[in-house]
C-alpha cells in the first residue's frame, strides 16, 4: 500500500508519490513581524547607518524564547527629532529562525543535500561558483519553459533532508564537476513563533556598537507554519497534478491557492457568473486561514499575485 498515494502511511513514501506528480510539499514557514528600530547616540553621526542581514532580535512566547533575524540589509539616513537629537529609524521585516549556510564541491553527483529539515524553503538561495565566478541559481516558475542555458535548481523533500538538484543541459544548466555550491537558508520553528509582540535587539550595528537601540512593533509575528502534514499532501498533490499549473476553472484556482501558502486551511471558490450580483470574468475565493482569525496582508498579496 506504500506504493500508492491514497494508501501510503509513511511520510517518506507519501512525499515520494507526490514528487512523481510534480508536487513538493511545503516546508516549515518562518513567522514574520514588522518593527521599527530607532538608534540614537551613534558616534560621529554618519549620514547613513546600515543594519546588516542577520541582525538578531529575541522574544518570548509562552516562556519559550525565539530568535528573529533580518534577511536583507537595511539602511537609514540621519534625522533630527524636535529636541534636536540625532537618530536613525529602520522599518524592517524580521523572520523567526537562524540563518545557516552550507558549501560543497560537486564531485560525481550534481546534487546536494540540506542536512536539516527545519528549513524554510522560501528563504533558500543557491549560488554556484564556476570558473571562479559565482552565479545565483533560481527555482523555475514553470519546468516546461526551462532552456538548456538557464541557471535553475530543483528542490525535493527526502527522508532526512531536502535535496537540491540541477539541470541536465537539456532542461537547465548542469554545473560542471568541481563547481562550488553554496546554499543559504533560514532554520525556523514554524507555527510556535506566531503572535510575538515584544522584541529586544540582541545584535550589533557596525559603527554603532555602544548606541541606544529602541524596538517598537508595527505588526506582531504571523505566518509561521509547520511542515505540510501527510493528509494535506495527499489532497494537494492530486489537485495540483489535475490543475497542471493553470488557472482556468474555479477548482484550478482552489488548488493553486491551497498550495500557495502554508497558512491556508481551506478554500471555497466559485465563478463570478455564479456570484450575486454576477461579476463576469472573475473568480471569487473565500479563504480560511490555518493560523489566526484572518489572512495576513502578505498571504492576501501572494494569493492575488499568484
Amino acid at each position: 500500500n506504500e506504493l500508492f498515494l491514497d494508501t501510503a502511511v509513511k511520510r517518506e513514501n507519501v512525499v515520494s508519490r507526490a514528487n512523481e506528480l510534480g508536487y513538493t510539499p511545503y516546508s516549515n514557514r518562518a513567522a514574520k513581524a514588522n518593527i521599527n528600530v530607532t538608534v540614537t547616540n551613534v558616534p560621529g553621526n554618519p549620514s547613513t547607518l546600515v543594519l546588516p542581514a542577520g541582525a538578531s532580535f529575541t522574544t518570548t512566547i509562552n516562556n519559550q524564547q525565539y530568535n528573529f533575524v533580518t534577511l536583507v540589509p537595511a539602511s537609514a539616513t540621519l534625522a533630527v527629532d524636535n529636541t534636536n537629537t540625532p537618530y536613525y529609524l529602520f522599518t524592517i521585516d524580521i523572520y523567526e529562525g537562524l540563518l545557516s549556510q552550507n558549501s560543497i564541491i560537486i564531485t560525481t553527483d550534481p546534487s546536494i543535500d540540506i542536512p536539516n529539515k527545519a528549513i524554510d524553503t522560501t528563504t533558500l538561495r543557491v549560488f554556484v561558483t564556476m570558473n571562479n565566478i559565482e552565479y545565483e541559481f533560481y527555482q523555475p516558475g514553470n519546468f516546461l519553459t526551462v532552456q538548456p542555458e538557464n541557471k535553475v535548481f530543483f528542490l525535493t523533500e527526502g527522508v532526512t533532508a531536502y535535496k537540491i538538484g540541477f539541470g541536465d543541459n537539456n532542461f537547465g544548466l548542469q554545473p560542471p564537476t568541481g563547481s562550488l555550491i553554496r546554499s543559504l537558508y533560514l532554520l525556523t520553528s514554524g507555527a510556535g513563533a506566531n503572535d510575538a509582540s515584544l522584541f529586544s535587539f540582541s545584535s550589533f550595528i557596525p559603527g554603532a556598537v555602544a548606541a541606544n537601540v529602541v524596538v517598537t512593533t508595527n505588526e506582531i509575528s504571523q505566518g509561521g507554519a509547520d511542515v505540510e502534514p501527510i493528509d494535506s499532501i495527499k489532497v494537494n498533490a492530486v489537485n495540483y497534478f489535475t490543475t497542471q499549473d493553470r488557472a482556468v476553472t474555479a477548482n484550478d484556482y482552489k488548488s493553486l491557492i491551497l498550495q500557495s501558502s502554508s497558512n491556508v486551511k481551506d478554500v471555497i471558490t466559485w465563478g463570478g457568473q455564479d456570484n450575486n450580483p454576477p461579476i463576469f470574468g472573475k473568480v471569487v475565493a473565500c479563504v480560511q486561514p490555518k493560523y489566526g482569525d484572518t489572512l495576513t496582508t502578505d498571504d492576501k498579496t501572494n494569493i492575488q499575485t499568484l
Side-chain angles (χ1 to χ4, degrees):
N1 62 301
E2 294 296 312
L3 295 175
F4 302 95
L5 182 62
D6 57 343
T7 55
V9 176
K10 295 181 179 179
R11 180 178 179 87
E12 57 264 35
N13 293 324
V14 172
V15 170
S16 180
R17 302 290 81 78
N19 285 337
E20 292 169 358
L21 298 177
Y23 180 77
T24 300
Y26 61 74
S27 66
N28 281 1
R29 292 290 188 263
K32 182 184 77 170
N34 183 267
I35 61 172
N36 283 341
V37 180
T38 304
V39 185
T40 57
N41 194 34
V42 176
N45 293 323
S47 59
T48 303
L49 200 62
V50 176
L51 186 68
S56 61
F57 301 79
T58 57
T59 187
T60 301
I61 306 172
N62 297 326
N63 297 319
Q64 175 69 42
Q65 182 169 297
Y66 293 93
N67 186 74
F68 281 69
V69 297
T70 56
L71 297 184
V72 295
S75 61
T77 56
L78 178 64
V80 179
D81 65 15
N82 54 13
T83 64
N84 208 33
T85 301
Y87 73 95
Y88 303 83
L89 175 63
F90 300 89
T91 300
I92 56 174
D93 291 328
I94 54 175
Y95 299 80
E96 187 272 323
L98 297 172
L99 281 174
S100 299
Q101 174 175 282
N102 291 110
S103 297
I104 189 171
I105 294 176
I106 290 180
T107 54
T108 55
D109 181 12
S111 64
I112 62 171
D113 289 340
I114 298 175
N116 196 313
K117 296 196 73 173
I119 178 179
D120 178 347
T121 58
T122 65
T123 66
L124 175 63
R125 300 181 68 187
V126 175
F127 300 88
V128 180
T129 299
M130 301 178 291
N131 299 319
N132 296 319
I133 301 175
E134 186 176 69
Y135 304 91
E136 184 167 5
F137 279 51
Y138 300 90
Q139 286 187 273
N142 187 327
F143 179 76
L144 296 179
T145 64
V146 175
Q147 300 298 312
E149 69 278 5
N150 290 158
K151 297 178 178 65
V152 297
F153 71 91
F154 306 95
L155 185 70
T156 55
E157 180 185 340
V159 177
T160 59
Y162 283 92
K163 182 178 287 291
I164 297 173
F166 298 95
D168 59 0
N169 292 325
N170 291 305
F171 290 97
L173 179 69
Q174 182 179 95
T177 299
S179 298
L180 175 67
I181 312 299
R182 183 169 64 93
S183 57
L184 300 173
Y185 49 86
L186 189 67
L187 299 177
T188 180
S189 305
N194 287 331
D195 299 323
S197 58
L198 297 174
F199 298 92
S200 299
F201 186 58
S202 56
S203 189
F204 68 93
I205 303 174
V209 176
N212 296 326
V213 179
V214 176
V215 180
T216 56
T217 303
N218 299 319
E219 297 176 5
I220 66 171
S221 61
Q222 291 291 329
D226 299 327
V227 66
E228 185 171 9
I230 288 176
D231 290 345
S232 174
I233 297 172
K234 290 183 176 183
V235 173
N236 287 341
V238 174
N239 289 338
Y240 181 77
F241 180 73
T242 303
T243 299
Q244 292 292 301
D245 208 22
R246 69 174 186 267
V248 179
T249 70
N251 280 336
D252 291 340
Y253 281 85
K254 177 178 179 178
S255 173
L256 291 170
I257 291 171
L258 280 169
Q259 62 90 28
S260 70
S261 171
S262 55
N263 193 32
V264 175
K265 182 177 181 180
D266 200 6
V267 184
I268 298 173
T269 55
W270 60 92
Q273 72 278 2
D274 297 324
N275 204 66
N276 186 13
I279 46 174
F280 296 103
K282 303 288 185 181
V283 171
V284 186
C286 180
V287 183
Q288 179 185 13
K290 187 179 295 183
Y291 306 100
D293 295 327
T294 60
L295 288 177
T296 66
T297 301
D298 278 353
D299 283 331
K300 291 179 182 179
T301 300
N302 291 338
I303 289 171
Q304 290 173 321
T305 301
L306 174 74

